[in-house]
Every structure is written in C-alpha cells, then in structure tokens.
Amino acid sequence: ASLNKGSGPQIEEYKRDVLQLQRELLQEKTKVTALSEELENPMNVHRWRKLEGSDPATFELIQKIQTLQRRLISKTEEV
C-alpha cells in the first residue's frame, strides 16, 4: 500500500510528461507535413533564382543599343 501512495504522484508526473511529449510530437508532425507540402508545391518561387553565366556578346549588344539610342536622341533634339 505504501508503494502505491509513493508512486501515485510520480505516475501523474509521467502522465503529464507523456501528454507534453505527445503535443510536441504532433507539432513536429504538423511542421513536417507543412514543409513537405511546401517542397512539393513551392509558394515562394522567388526564393530561388536561376544561375546563368554572363554572355559577353549580349552585354556588348546592350551597350551598342544604348549608344545608338543616345545618338538617336541627340539627332532628334538637333532637328
């Protein structure tokens, strides 16, 4: 009988611990589910960016276009 009385409060403490751990486990499972869904269907697509090498030919073409636009603007202003 004395063993039962001594273990009573301890059993209640274990029950509280089990409930707390079950809550934490449920929270973690929910996080895993949310992260798995995010991985399958990314909502924040801007998080990633495509890495591309620089293309000097394209850069040179852009510079040439800008130079020609400046020349065109200056010619238009003269007229």
Side-chain angles (χ1 to χ4, degrees), residues 45-60:
V45 292
H46 300 294
R47 182 183 312 165
W48 302 282
R49 58 186 167 89
K50 192 174 182 179
L51 296 177
E52 297 177 2
S54 61
D55 187 357
T58 304
F59 181 69
E60 290 168 10

Side-chain angles (χ1 to χ4, degrees), residues 16-67:
R16 281 193 300 274
D17 288 347
V18 167
L19 286 174
Q20 178 62 32
L21 291 171
Q22 285 175 336
R23 272 190 229 112
E24 288 177 21
L25 180 61
L26 184 61
Q27 287 175 346
E28 294 303 317
K29 284 182 177 180
T30 305
K31 284 182 194 175
V32 167
T33 303
L35 289 172
S36 297
E37 288 174 5
E38 169 72 16
L39 191 60
E40 289 173 17
N41 305 310
M43 297 176 91
N44 185 4
V45 292
H46 300 294
R47 182 183 312 165
W48 302 282
R49 58 186 167 89
K50 192 174 182 179
L51 296 177
E52 297 177 2
S54 61
D55 187 357
T58 304
F59 181 69
E60 290 168 10
L61 288 174
I62 291 172
Q63 282 184 321
K64 191 171 188 175
I65 290 170
Q66 288 175 344
T67 305

